[in-house]
Amino acid sequence: MPTPKPILWIDADACPRVARDIIIRAAERTHTRTWMVANHALPLPPSPWVKSRIVAHGFDAADNEIVNAITKGDLVVTSDLPLAQEVIERGAMVMTTRGENLTLDNIKSRVQMRDFMETLRASGEHTQGPNAYTDADRRTFANALDRWLQRHARV
């Protein structure tokens, strides 16, 4: 029995619009089922491959929906490190919207750094937020997603 194709799960609340557009085009091209999970309606083209799941407003509602729905081998696109860690521990793969693969080897140190920076901010320290999403980020993400789809979601 053939292995089912993995599903793309997008943490769409914080996903840049340009990255969502890349995902939509890639899902259509490769016929890959894709779920955009958000707490509000998203403008999506009519598609048999790309659908949205609207969750209740609330802390981690989209994250919980994704964690409860994923299966081993699925890909979650998110920059939310606690979500990424939980997804990885459940056997799914994670890619950030900047094209970085998060794995068991690098997620713990990333979460620890995030927590450290959060502690600094809570103590009144001014820290930089993430850099603006650039054309280079867009290209890197598009290329990384294409490579992942070629390996894992062949037509």
Side-chain angles (χ1 to χ4, degrees):
M1 185 157 104
T3 306
K5 280 177 69 169
I7 298 172
L8 297 179
W9 295 92
I10 314 308
D11 182 10
D13 284 325
C15 184
R17 174 71 186 251
V18 65
R20 284 197 321 256
D21 292 343
I22 290 166
I23 294 163
I24 291 166
R25 285 191 303 273
E28 291 290 325
R29 185 180 71 250
T30 61
H31 299 170
T32 302
R33 288 185 303 152
T34 302
W35 287 100
M36 300 276 181
V37 183
N39 63 16
H40 61 282
L42 297 168
L44 296 176
S47 169
W49 304 108
V50 181
K51 304 289 183 193
S52 68
R53 287 194 183 184
I54 300 172
V55 298
H57 288 274
F59 186 70
D60 288 343
D63 297 2
N64 293 336
E65 178 73 19
I66 291 169
V67 167
N68 290 328
I70 60 168
T71 59
K72 186 176 179 173
D74 287 351
L75 176 66
V76 176
V77 176
T78 186
S79 295
D80 180 323
L81 296 175
L83 170 60
Q85 185 170 18
E86 195 165 356
V87 164
I88 291 166
E89 289 168 353
R90 288 179 170 247
M93 292 171 257
V94 176
M95 180 183 298
T96 70
T97 56
R98 295 177 192 265
E100 181 181 9
N101 291 311
L102 299 177
T103 66
L104 283 173
D105 294 331
N106 65 16
I107 190 62
K108 286 188 175 145
S109 64
R110 296 282 302 269
V111 169
Q112 288 172 341
M113 180 56 77
R114 171 202 169 267
D115 292 346
F116 173 72
M117 296 304 285
E118 195 170 276
T119 301
L120 281 179
R121 285 188 294 275
S123 70
E125 186 73 28
H126 294 285
T127 60
Q128 278 186 236
N131 294 331
Y133 199 73
T134 66
D135 284 342
D137 294 326
R138 178 189 57 77
R139 284 189 302 276
T140 301
F141 174 67
N143 290 335
L145 182 61
D146 281 344
R147 284 190 305 274
W148 189 91
L149 287 167
Q150 286 173 5
R151 280 194 309 269
H152 301 283
R154 292 185 182 95
V155 176

